[in-house]
Amino acid sequence: MSNTSKTSNTSDTSDTSRTQSSPDSAKGKQHDTTDDELGPMDVLRQARGQLAELTGMTAESVSSFARTEDGWTLEIEVLELVRVPDTMSLLASYEVTLDPRGELTAYRRVRRYERGRADTRRIGGR
C-alpha cells in the first residue's frame, strides 16, 4: 500500500504542478491570440512548420518577413527538387500569409529557380 501512496503522491504533485502552471498556460494562450504579443520568432516557426506540413517540403530559409494589418506575410525558400550537383537543385519562393494568431491563411509559389543561379529579379528597377 505504501507504493500506492507514493504513486498517489506523485500524481498529486503533478496535478498541483499543472494547476500551478495553468495561469502560465493561460498567458501562453493570450500570447497566441493577441497580435501585439506574438513574437517574430514564433511567427517564423509557425509559418515554416505549417508550410512544410501542407506541401511536404522543408523550408530552407525565410527571405522576407513583414507584419501587415491582417497579420503577417513571409517569403519562404523551399527545396522542391534535388539534383546533382546541388547547384542545379530547384528551389522555390513561397509567399505565405498568416493571421494575427500565426495561423496560415494562404500560400502561393511566386517563383522557381536553380540554386546556382543569380537572382535577376530586382525590386526597384536596379
Side-chain angles (χ1 to χ4, degrees), residues 4-121:
T4 307
S5 297
K6 287 181 182 180
T7 305
S8 178
N9 288 341
T10 305
S11 297
D12 291 342
T13 304
S14 62
D15 289 342
T16 304
S17 298
R18 280 188 227 136
T19 305
Q20 290 174 348
S21 67
S22 293
D24 293 334
S25 298
K27 286 180 185 176
K29 202 170 202 178
Q30 287 174 348
H31 178 77
D32 291 340
T33 59
T34 306
D35 183 33
D36 294 335
E37 293 184 24
L38 191 61
M41 293 309 295
D42 293 329
V43 172
L44 293 173
R45 283 185 199 102
Q46 288 184 31
R48 290 176 64 146
Q50 291 176 64
L51 182 64
E53 188 173 342
L54 288 169
T55 64
M57 296 177 282
T58 304
E60 292 220 339
S61 65
V62 176
S63 56
S64 71
F65 170 76
R67 180 179 244 161
T68 65
E69 289 180 11
D70 299 326
W72 306 87
T73 300
L74 300 91
E75 192 163 313
I76 300 176
E77 308 304 315
V78 172
L79 177 62
E80 285 201 334
L81 182 62
V82 177
R83 289 188 177 160
V84 177
D86 191 44
T87 54
M88 298 302 292
S89 292
L90 290 179
L91 295 165
S93 293
Y94 282 81
E95 181 179 275
V96 178
T97 306
L98 283 78
D99 67 15
R101 294 174 292 135
E103 296 296 321
L104 193 140
T105 57
Y107 74 92
R108 67 183 180 100
R109 185 171 65 192
V110 292
R111 70 187 187 102
R112 196 173 191 200
Y113 57 96
E114 291 176 341
R115 185 186 296 275
R117 299 274 175 153
D119 191 4
T120 58
R121 183 183 72 151

